[in-house]
Amino acid sequence: MTDRMALEGIRVVERIGRLAGSVCAGRLADLGAELVRVAVDGDPLPNEPAAWRDHPFANPSAEMIRLDRGDPGFGARWQGIADKADIVIVTPEIRENGKAVADFAGLNAEQQVICAVSAFGIGAQEPPLADPGEIEMQAIGGSLATTGGTDGAPCIVDLPILELFTGLNAATAALAALRVKEAGGGGQVLDISVFETSFTLTGTFLGNVLSGRTRGFRNGCRHPLVAPWNAYPTSNGWVILCTTSNQNWLDLTQVISRPELAEDPEFATAAARISVVEKVDRVISEWSRTVTTEQALAALQACAIPSGTVATTAEVARAGTPVPCRRMAAPAGPAPRGTAASGPPERPLDGIRVLEVGPYTAGPLAGRFLANLGAEVIKIEGSGGEDSRLWQPFVDGVSCYFANYNAGKKSVVLNLRFKQGEAAFLDLVKTADVVLFNLKAGAMERMGLGARRLHDLNPRLVYCGISGYGMNGSARPALDTVIQAEAGVIDRIASVGGPAKGGVSIADLGAAHLAPLEILAALRKAQNTGRGSVLDISMFDTVAWLGCIGWPDGDPVLPDHCIVQTADGWVVALDSRSELDRQLNGVEPSGQTSAALCAALAEVSVRALPMLELDEVYALDVAKRDGLMVFERADKGGNCVIAAPYALSRTPVAVDTRVAEVGADNLALTGCPPPLK
């Protein structure tokens, strides 16, 4: 088995439907599975451009079989194809009595992994609308509520982001279920929905909504807690500038030739600068307009101030085909074959130990997903714990942000830069299956914890690094806003008031959703060969892969649509604004309620729906299916977290909302109490 062929010998059948199903199939094929695509009646993808059939995600190199439902032999032919599959991907949109159901004819859930990908889930009662496409899902699922300029107008991300994320989640769930099947646990049905994927992406905002802030999340490229952090005009374009520390601010005052601001109490702290953010942005813009983008970047990056420019998808595509994860074999050395599992697990990753190093979003969320699938995840923290433990708002003394990315893990405090901490970490490595880290390029090597050294201790180890530009790429700070700009996403958001980023952290979350898939594949390879892997996940390449491959020419990706303000909110209509105005025949949308406008448009056969703000998203009945799990914090029994986006019928994901105290597991796992602060 080569390093790439983690799924060699696995046969996947995709019954063509949603783009998310094709993304799922494509990722499994990329990992070495044999793929057969089945087109029934030549139906196009529902509510999506026909051109998506020719997109690289559609896996044109796979075997294609075309079936006609009217053919008397249809059932037998489909049965013959499906019988040979280990994993079958279907995209159900059948409805009975207001409930979404799936057509599983010819499939065997006792022996096969059946991955059903749909808008709201096959068990969803009375979904908000039938057969929604990407635009409508962005409006319903919270993405639109958080994306737009500082004028408050919402903006669509002109990329099928939700379908792509859903495809990654479907592939992860398929590999988790395959692991159970190969351990003797039989097949099962996977219920993967676009809505629940979208729901998962809003974790950063959950604490604010539960604390009473339900609006005002559309803020261009600004950060809600830090300034300056925005897109600033230059003499020939734009520069993205993000300060992450007070030192960044002090350095910036020198760059813009305003050293007196370093001593001005009005700008002394991040909180102070946020309180006068308009004034701060005006000061930076006065400087940025006098230089070119290239000059601005050179000056900012010379001082290690996180910065970038707004690239187009065409520019990103010209740089070459992005590879979101580079997979390498473990360094040569003894590699005993793995032993068979002792029996079917209760959860897919039972018995797997993960060591997680790194703060904030990408690595921690990937680790939390692995914990949801049953892994023992040990979070390695510095003295005092990760900074985001202090991020507001709190739920009974616990950061809601931290809980969403770290619930269900153990906590060990180690200083990896000192011998004692390093030795304790290396002892844990000997017992681990995965080391997952989210740090700047080269950080682990500089601490003496590179892949070669760890594989010498544990040849079966999966060594997975998440960084901005790859392990051998730039070590400059990789902030989500900068990555979105450089990888072409911001260019796909048409904000009137200047560049706007995707409201959800597409770069961080993209890597967080990709990593569990790659880790599961590498664990299967380690089980079959005894040899580990090095997984190099680049946030930049992940976003470029999500957003640019196949759409390099800058033309619109999503169908015609417009967003209009009403008397009580915003309405998204699947029509151009000029055509919408013609259909309305002079009626002004701002004078109507959203419900009345949607009803009027339905009468002239225009699909339209109100945009939901985040509190309305969380209140949807469909959100309560598996999504938001709210636990009272009595006796530290839980927090408020959003469930993992995997629904497995035989081995459901774990529901553990507890947050470990800093260093709570030091004594049990290292034999020593956590070091003093």
Side-chain angles (χ1 to χ4, degrees):
M1 181 183 294
T2 66
D3 182 66
R4 180 178 177 274
M5 298 294 103
L7 296 187
E8 190 171 37
I10 297 300
R11 185 179 176 89
V12 176
V13 170
E14 177 205 357
R15 187 159 165 173
I16 297 171
R18 300 192 75 92
L19 179 65
S22 290
V23 174
C24 173
R27 295 314 295 164
L28 298 177
D30 183 56
L31 289 161
E34 177 191 0
L35 176 60
V36 177
R37 307 189 72 228
V38 179
V40 177
D41 298 336
D43 291 337
L45 301 178
N47 295 323
E48 309 296 7
W52 285 12
R53 274 188 176 275
D54 300 322
H55 188 274
F57 287 127
N59 315 302
S61 62
E63 180 183 356
M64 172 68 79
I65 298 175
R66 302 186 184 279
L67 300 180
D68 185 343
R69 203 184 302 271
D71 188 328
F74 168 78
R77 286 197 67 196
W78 167 244
Q79 183 83 55
I81 296 166
D83 282 347
K84 298 175 184 177
D86 299 286
I87 300 171
V88 183
I89 303 165
V90 295
T91 52
E93 292 294 347
I94 301 171
R95 285 182 168 55
E96 293 178 1
N97 301 320
K99 181 178 179 180
V101 298
D103 179 7
F104 292 147
L107 306 181
N108 182 356
E110 293 300 314
Q111 299 297 324
Q112 295 174 309
V113 173
I114 303 171
C115 185
V117 184
S118 59
F120 298 102
I122 56 177
Q125 295 282 351
E126 298 182 358
L129 73 165
D131 303 329
E134 173 73 23
I135 291 171
E136 293 159 307
M137 291 308 299
Q138 287 192 29
I140 294 170
S143 173
L144 190 56
T146 62
T147 302
T150 53
D151 61 354
C155 297
I156 291 287
V157 180
D158 183 38
L159 293 166
I161 293 295
L162 301 183
E163 293 282 335
L164 301 177
F165 271 91
T166 303
L168 290 178
N169 291 335
T172 300
L175 288 195
L178 180 66
R179 183 179 178 86
V180 174
K181 176 178 179 291
E182 293 184 326
Q188 53 185 312
V189 175
L190 316 179
D191 184 6
I192 309 298
S193 85
V194 181
F195 178 83
E196 284 169 352
T197 289
S198 179
F199 201 77
T200 305
L201 304 181
T202 66
T204 300
F205 304 97
L206 176 61
N208 287 311
V209 175
L210 296 179
S211 299
R213 179 187 171 190
T214 61
R215 302 289 192 276
F217 297 116
R218 298 182 291 278
N219 207 19
C221 284
R222 281 180 177 159
H223 192 287
L225 302 175
V226 183
W229 184 304
N230 209 341
Y232 299 95
T234 66
S235 63
N236 64 340
W238 295 88
V239 64
I240 303 290
L241 186 165
C242 307
T243 57
T244 60
S245 67
N246 216 49
Q247 186 59 52
N248 280 162
W249 167 249
L250 296 177
D251 291 339
L252 183 59
T253 62
Q254 299 296 318
V255 170
I256 67 175
S257 300
R258 295 290 303 275
E260 74 279 5
L261 297 180
E263 306 298 328
D264 190 331
E266 188 175 25
F267 304 103
T269 66
R273 293 190 291 275
I274 275 291
S275 69
V276 290
V277 64
E278 298 281 356
K279 188 173 183 179
V280 171
D281 282 348
R282 189 163 56 250
V283 167
I284 305 303
S285 295
E286 289 171 356
W287 163 75
S288 65
R289 287 191 174 95
T290 68
V291 296
T292 66
T293 298
E294 294 74 20
Q295 290 169 332
L297 289 175
L300 294 167
Q301 292 175 8
C303 298
I305 297 172
S307 52
T309 189
V310 179
T312 66
T313 52
E315 290 167 338
V316 174
R318 283 197 293 270
T321 301
V323 179
C325 179
R326 288 171 171 80
R327 313 177 191 115
M328 295 155 275
R337 291 190 64 82
T339 56
S342 58
E346 292 185 8
R347 293 183 293 170
L349 292 182
D350 279 349
I352 294 298
R353 171 172 279 187
V354 179
L355 307 183
E356 176 201 301
V357 182
Y360 310 133
T361 304
L365 182 57
R368 205 209 88 189
F369 285 161
L370 296 173
N372 293 144
L373 290 168
E376 176 195 29
V377 179
I378 303 169
K379 185 176 184 67
I380 309 298
E381 302 186 72
S383 181
E386 182 182 310
D387 289 347
S388 66
R389 284 181 178 270
L390 303 177
W391 289 5
Q392 298 282 353
F394 285 0
V395 176
D396 289 344
V398 175
S399 165
C400 195
Y401 178 97
F402 185 83
N404 261 279
Y405 296 108
N406 295 283
K409 302 176 187 176
K410 297 179 177 179
S411 172
V412 168
V413 172
L414 297 174
N415 190 329
L416 301 181
R417 299 184 187 279
F418 288 87
K419 289 295 183 183
Q420 185 177 4
E422 176 189 329
F425 180 76
L426 294 176
D427 283 342
L428 288 172
V429 167
K430 296 172 186 176
T431 68
D433 299 279
V434 180
V435 168
L436 167 66
F437 58 94
N438 176 197
L439 300 168
K440 290 181 182 179
M444 289 290 278
E445 286 78 4
R446 288 191 290 274
M447 291 187 288
L449 302 174
R452 182 172 293 277
R453 185 182 187 192
L454 300 195
H455 278 128
D456 285 344
L457 293 173
N458 183 350
R460 296 165 56 90
L461 186 71
V462 175
Y463 184 88
C464 179
I466 300 173
S467 59
Y469 305 95
M471 291 182 187
N472 297 316
S474 172
R476 63 190 176 94
L479 302 178
D480 182 85
T481 304
V482 174
I483 297 285
Q484 285 198 43
E486 294 181 331
V489 172
I490 287 179
D491 180 60
R492 289 288 188 172
I493 300 172
S495 171
V496 174
K501 69 180 183 67
V504 300
S505 301
I506 293 171
D508 288 322
L509 296 172
H513 284 68
L514 177 65
L517 167 64
E518 295 289 344
I519 288 169
L520 277 160
L523 286 171
R524 183 177 189 271
K525 192 193 79 168
Q527 177 68 34
N528 289 335
T529 69
R531 189 175 300 283
S533 299
V534 177
L535 306 176
D536 181 7
I537 296 177
S538 158
M539 291 167 59
F540 175 88
D541 285 337
T542 299
V543 176
W545 174 82
L546 284 169
C548 300
I549 181 171
W551 297 297
D553 53 12
D555 291 340
V557 172
L558 301 181
D560 278 349
H561 64 277
C562 63
I563 302 173
V564 295
Q565 190 165 20
T566 65
D568 59 353
W570 302 84
V571 162
V572 182
L574 295 189
D575 216 336
S576 67
R577 181 59 197 259
S578 59
E579 180 61 20
L580 185 70
D581 288 340
R582 189 185 70 79
Q583 296 282 6
L584 291 174
N585 196 25
V587 174
E588 177 55 47
S590 61
Q592 301 185 66
T593 65
S594 295
L597 179 60
C598 290
L601 291 172
E603 291 180 0
V604 291
S605 301
V606 175
R607 284 178 69 102
L609 75 164
M611 183 206 78
L612 301 185
E613 297 286 357
L614 285 185
D615 59 319
E616 297 169 319
V617 175
Y618 294 159
L620 281 176
D621 285 340
V622 70
K624 299 170 185 174
R625 191 176 79 111
D626 293 308
L628 181 62
M629 297 182 293
V630 180
F631 288 76
E632 293 300 324
R633 186 72 188 156
D635 299 320
K636 299 179 181 175
N639 204 291
C640 303
V641 303
I642 296 175
Y646 323 121
L648 290 77
S649 62
R650 191 184 296 272
T651 53
V653 298
V655 181
D656 188 349
T657 62
R658 293 170 297 177
V659 176
E661 300 289 344
V662 180
D665 302 286
N666 267 69
L667 197 60
L669 292 172
T670 71
C672 299
L676 298 175
K677 294 183 181 179

